[in-house]
């Protein structure tokens, strides 16, 4: 059966209003609160809207209570489930970003280290440095970090194999 093009989720809408993004954050927070209650995990939710995205953070006084959820693959899976919950309620694709126990900050530092190691390879004579496949959000962070460091970055590949290649300007 061929899908009706009118049933396809709308393309990424970079012009979503702050009100729409706040609504996404509220829906996501409700979904995550239920999930945390079911799993009997304590956590506080913080909502923010910036750079055209809703950001939801799950934080706890005792980091150990979130340790099961803060692994990068788990955060990515929870983010996808949360995006689906938002999409189900709104009818629109969500670009929501989820952070659990500061995992996004940790991952951003890891990505910065990855770019720095690639820059060292370039300084040592490599014409380019390929990074491993990663999510579109992580590739965006790589592009931003690379630009800050005076590097040129481009993404190549499709789907799960999409990766970033860095080179000197």
């Amino acid at each position: 059966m061929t899908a009706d093009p009118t049933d396809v989720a709308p393309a990424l809408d970079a012009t979503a209003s702050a009100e729409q993004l706040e609504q996404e954050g509220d829906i996501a927070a409700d979904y995550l609160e239920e999930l945390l209650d079911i799993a009997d995990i304590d956590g506080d939710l913080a909502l923010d809207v910036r750079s055209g995205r809703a950001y939801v953070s799950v934080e706890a006084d005792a980091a150990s209570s979130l340790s099961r959820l803060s692994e990068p693959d788990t955060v990515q899976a929870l983010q996808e489930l949360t995006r689906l919950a938002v999409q189900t309620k709104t009818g629109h694709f969500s670009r929501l970003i989820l952070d659990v126990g500061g995992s996004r900050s940790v991952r951003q530092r890891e990505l910065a280290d990855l770019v720095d190691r690639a820059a060292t390879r370039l300084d040592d004579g490599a014409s380019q440095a390929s990074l491993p496949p990663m999510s579109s959000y992580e590739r965006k962070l790589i592009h931003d970090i690379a630009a800050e460091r005076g590097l040129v970055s481009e993404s190549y590949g499709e789907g799960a194999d999409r990766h970033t290649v860095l080179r000197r300007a």
Side-chain angles (χ1 to χ4, degrees), residues 26-38:
D26 289 338
I27 293 168
D30 290 344
Y31 174 80
L32 290 165
E33 269 185 35
E34 282 186 46
L35 185 68
L36 292 172
D37 284 345
I38 290 168

Side-chain angles (χ1 to χ4, degrees), residues 14 18-19 25 33 38 48 51 54 57 91 101 112-113 144 147 149 158 162:
E19 182 178 315
E33 269 185 35
I38 290 168
D48 192 15
S51 304
S57 298
D113 290 344
D144 292 346
R149 300 204 179 16
E158 298 295 325
R162 193 142 172 92

